């Protein structure tokens, strides 16, 4: 969505079920999150100092969770920039389409879990920041 702004992101507190043996968080399509989950992927074994992302999506909605460890998500809408630190497996960052994102400052052993509204499609990506700025005009 061309008109999305950084102010449209949401930090969701996901349900946490306590059990004596540990906790469970469950995320259901169109319930805790406002879309149908078509794909789940996760980033792991990220070498120290690496960054990921560096692109925007035209239609994809995502929920990003620090399933383990922590990292920063840096969002840009061509006007405003905001950094969100994720470090809890029960907090989800809900991203509308149309925002430029980078993820960095991964803690050692961290896992970035992503729930996505669409299957993988390279044509949904904007990979050059210059192209992104033109897209947002
Ligand atoms: P990319 O989304 O650019 O990674 P990141 O944003 O984490 O830096 O994807 C990296 C590569 O993996 C790219 O060649 C596309 C491929 N890929 C898939 O094949 N399926 C997927 O679901 C994802 C997310 C990526």
């Amino acid at each position: 969505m061309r008109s999305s702004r950084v102010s449209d992101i949401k930090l969701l507190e996901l349900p946490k079920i306590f059990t004596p043996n540990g906790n469970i968080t469950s995320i259901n399509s169109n319930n805790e999150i406002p879309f149908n989950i078509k794909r789940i992927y996760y980033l792991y074994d990220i070498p120290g100092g690496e960054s990921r992302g560096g692109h925007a999506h035209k239609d994809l909605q995502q929920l990003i969770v620090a399933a383990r460890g922590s990292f920063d998500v840096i969002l840009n809408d061509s006007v405003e920039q905001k950094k969100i630190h994720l470090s809890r497996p029960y907090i989800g960052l809900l991203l509308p389409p149309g925002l430029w994102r980078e993820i960095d400052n991964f803690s050692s052993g961290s896992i970035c879990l992503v729930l996505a509204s669409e299957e993988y499609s390279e044509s949904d990506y904007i990979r050059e920041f210059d192209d992104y700025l033109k897209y947002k005009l």
Side-chain angles (χ1 to χ4, degrees):
M1 222 191 306
R2 283 172 205 272
S3 58
S4 297
R5 293 287 168 233
V6 164
S7 54
D8 296 327
I9 65 160
K10 289 197 178 93
L11 272 177
L12 304 182
E13 177 146 4
L14 302 164
K16 193 177 181 186
I17 302 163
F18 293 94
T19 85
N21 310 331
N23 302 330
I24 303 173
T25 289
S26 145
I27 305 167
N28 299 274
S29 292
N30 302 306
N31 189 346
E32 289 81 8
I33 54 172
F35 59 82
N36 200 22
I37 301 163
K38 287 210 184 137
R39 174 169 54 118
I40 296 171
Y41 64 92
Y42 36 97
L43 311 178
Y44 57 98
D45 287 350
I46 300 143
E50 275 302 331
S51 66
R52 304 292 303 247
H55 60 250
H57 288 282
K58 295 176 201 159
D59 289 316
L60 188 73
Q61 299 178 70
Q62 293 171 306
L63 185 84
I64 302 182
V65 178
R68 177 178 173 156
S70 64
F71 47 80
D72 294 335
V73 184
I74 299 118
L75 300 159
N76 188 314
D77 59 16
S78 78
V79 176
E80 194 189 346
Q81 178 158 308
K82 187 166 188 174
K83 179 165 32 178
I84 306 283
H85 183 66
L86 292 179
S87 62
R88 304 275 180 234
Y90 55 86
I91 299 291
L93 173 61
L94 185 63
L95 293 186
L99 295 178
W100 187 267
R101 88 285 310 276
E102 282 169 41
I103 313 178
D104 66 10
N105 196 24
F106 288 94
S107 67
S108 172
S110 57
I111 298 178
C112 172
L113 173 68
V114 184
L115 280 56
S117 66
E118 306 296 336
E119 288 163 14
Y120 172 74
S121 165
E122 188 56 37
S123 62
D124 189 62
Y125 281 74
I126 303 170
R127 290 202 180 267
E128 298 296 330
F129 194 65
D130 279 355
D131 293 340
Y132 176 69
L133 293 178
K134 284 181 205 143
Y135 175 78
K136 294 297 269 187
L137 282 178

